[in-house]
Amino acid sequence: MSGLIESCQGLFGTSDLYEVLGVVKTASDKEVKRGYHKVSLKVHPDRVDIKDKENATQKFQTLGRVYAVLSDKDRRGLYDESGEIDDEDDVSEDRDWNDYWRLLFPKLSFEDINEFEKKYKGSEEELDDLTSTYVEYEGDMDAIMDNVLCSTVEDEPRFTQILNDLIKKKKLPKFEKFTKETKKNKTSRQKKAQAEALEAEEMLQELGGGEKNSLQALIKKNQQSREQQADSFLADLEAKYAQPKKESEIIHS
């Protein structure tokens, strides 16, 4: 078994464990966990084509090893100070990384998602996500609607009002993609949302109706048309709701 640093370099093109997870060195434990989840969703062996499964499995296992280091206070401290990892503490040979992953991120229930959405909409967290997404995508409303959690076409007028108010107060920069968006682009976005809603309704009927199945239909539709955003959405929610377990508890479970 190769060393972790060597594996990261070979599989992810970097020897920086934080960079592998897409987080900064000062990231909190929660941010490290969320980063691990987001990246691992992209390479989970059950989510890739057969031809990519071997490489995905190697990446998935390496990500688990990276998180095992950064989630351990002592091992992370050693890495931060010296850039070194004590590979003798690596338990990867005896670990089922898929079981480890599911212990960290139990599946969400409909009630979890519904509860989160109620608390999230109109919250400071939603506002932070909205403004940071606005800046990141320089006012591109298509990208904003795709990347802000739980957003639907019904939220667009509210988002637009919030952003316009902040621009007027000079708390946000003015981007032409936002301030001069064409009516054609707005109409296209609305038509796309209506088409997705119609397809979700058809899926709902196939699933047998009901509020829970309605949510499943919407998620299924989003996974088909916006898989990356759906993965990010579920990663964020699962990282919020998954109760972290101590390393010793996971090893012995």
Side-chain angles (χ1 to χ4, degrees), residues 1 6-7 15 40 56 62 64 78 86 90 93 114 120 124-125 133 138 153 164 169 188 201 221 225 227:
M1 181 184 63
E6 181 183 337
S7 295
S15 60
S40 61
T62 298
L78 173 64
D86 187 355
D90 197 331
E93 290 186 5
N114 194 36
Y120 179 76
E124 285 295 319
E125 184 177 6
T133 304
E138 298 183 348
V153 66
N164 277 325
K169 294 176 181 177
S188 176
E201 181 62 30
K221 175 56 193 167
S225 63
E227 184 171 355

Side-chain angles (χ1 to χ4, degrees), residues 16-17 22 47 58 82 110 132 143-144 154 189 191 200 212 214-215 218 236:
D16 187 323
L17 302 193
R47 303 169 66 88
Q58 292 177 356
S82 65
F110 165 72
S132 62
I144 291 170
E154 286 78 17
R189 186 166 54 250
K191 287 183 177 180
K212 182 173 182 178
S214 177
L215 178 66
L218 288 170
D236 282 342

Side-chain angles (χ1 to χ4, degrees), residues 81-144:
E81 290 180 8
S82 65
E84 298 179 356
I85 296 170
D86 187 355
D87 284 325
E88 292 184 2
D89 289 337
D90 197 331
V91 296
S92 58
E93 290 186 5
D94 302 320
R95 173 168 288 177
D96 184 323
W97 289 107
N98 191 53
D99 287 347
Y100 174 78
W101 189 81
R102 186 42 66 192
L103 281 169
L104 286 168
F105 307 108
K107 292 182 179 180
L108 288 173
S109 67
F110 165 72
E111 289 75 19
D112 289 332
I113 297 175
N114 194 36
E115 178 186 349
F116 172 80
E117 185 172 357
K118 287 179 180 178
K119 292 180 179 179
Y120 179 76
K121 290 203 171 187
S123 68
E124 285 295 319
E125 184 177 6
E126 183 195 49
L127 179 60
D128 288 343
D129 289 345
L130 174 61
T131 54
S132 62
T133 304
Y134 169 83
V135 172
E136 180 179 357
Y137 292 99
E138 298 183 348
D140 186 333
M141 204 63 186
D142 287 338
I144 291 170

